[in-house]
């Protein structure tokens, strides 16, 4: 599989897990349940950058941000005061699992997109 295809797949999986996790945060009351056009705009940009701009530098930068957001999600939540309480609650397994999956997959996406950016900078083939 081409490296760029792997990057697109990991970025899409990171976006999927981010949306599932944010939805779980809203259902649990961690995040406010309000209409957020900004969040939808960010989601649209993430998807557009991943699917349409994947071969370009701008697409790699967007996928780098996806990886950074995904990898940062566990750092933010696991430092929270109520993390252990949420982990023991109903649905806690899914909450914790998505954090672990986001951390690993987000880190991989971040590293892979940074590597792709470095290759584009040096003019190497993808």
């Amino acid at each position: 599989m081409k490296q760029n295809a792997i990057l697109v797949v990991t970025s899409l999986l990171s976006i999927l897990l981010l949306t599932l996790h944010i939805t779980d945060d809203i259902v649990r009351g961690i995040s406010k349940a309000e209409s957020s056009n900004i969040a939808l705009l960010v989601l649209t940009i993430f998807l557009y950058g991943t699917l349409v701009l994947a071969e370009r530098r701008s697409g790699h930068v967007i996928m780098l941000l996806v990886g950074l957001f995904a990898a940062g999600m566990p750092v933010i939540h696991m430092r929270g005061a109520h993390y252990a309480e949420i982990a023991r609650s109903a649905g806690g397994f899914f909450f914790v699992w998505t954090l672990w999956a986001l951390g690993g997959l987000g880190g991989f996406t971040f590293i892979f997109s940074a590597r792709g950016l470095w290759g584009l900078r040096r003019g190497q083939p993808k």
Side-chain angles (χ1 to χ4, degrees):
M1 190 184 274
K2 289 175 57 177
Q3 289 183 3
N4 209 44
I6 294 170
L7 177 58
V8 168
V9 169
T10 60
S11 183
L12 285 173
L13 285 172
S14 294
I15 292 168
L16 174 66
L17 289 173
L18 277 169
T19 58
L20 287 171
H21 186 75
I22 291 169
T23 302
D24 192 41
D25 281 355
I26 292 169
V27 168
R28 291 176 181 282
I30 296 169
S31 297
K32 293 181 181 176
E34 56 190 32
S35 67
S36 177
N37 294 329
I38 294 174
L40 289 175
L41 178 65
V42 170
L43 177 61
T44 302
I45 291 169
F46 282 177
L47 287 169
Y48 187 80
T50 299
L51 295 171
V52 178
L53 304 174
E55 300 284 332
R56 298 177 150 193
R57 181 173 281 120
S58 58
H60 278 73
V61 169
I62 290 170
M63 289 185 276
L64 184 101
L65 290 173
V66 168
L68 182 65
F69 282 13
M73 196 64 63
V75 175
I76 293 167
H77 278 297
M78 289 181 178
R79 296 176 80 189
H82 301 289
Y83 174 70
E85 179 184 318
I86 293 169
R88 287 189 300 270
S89 69
F93 176 86
F94 180 75
F95 182 84
V96 173
W97 179 84
T98 56
L99 286 178
W100 279 95
L102 278 168
L105 195 58
F108 184 83
T109 302
F110 182 84
I111 291 168
F112 229 63
S113 59
R115 188 175 164 202
L117 273 171
W118 185 258
L120 288 173
R121 182 182 160 277
R122 293 178 46 204
Q124 294 176 344
K126 296 171 203 97

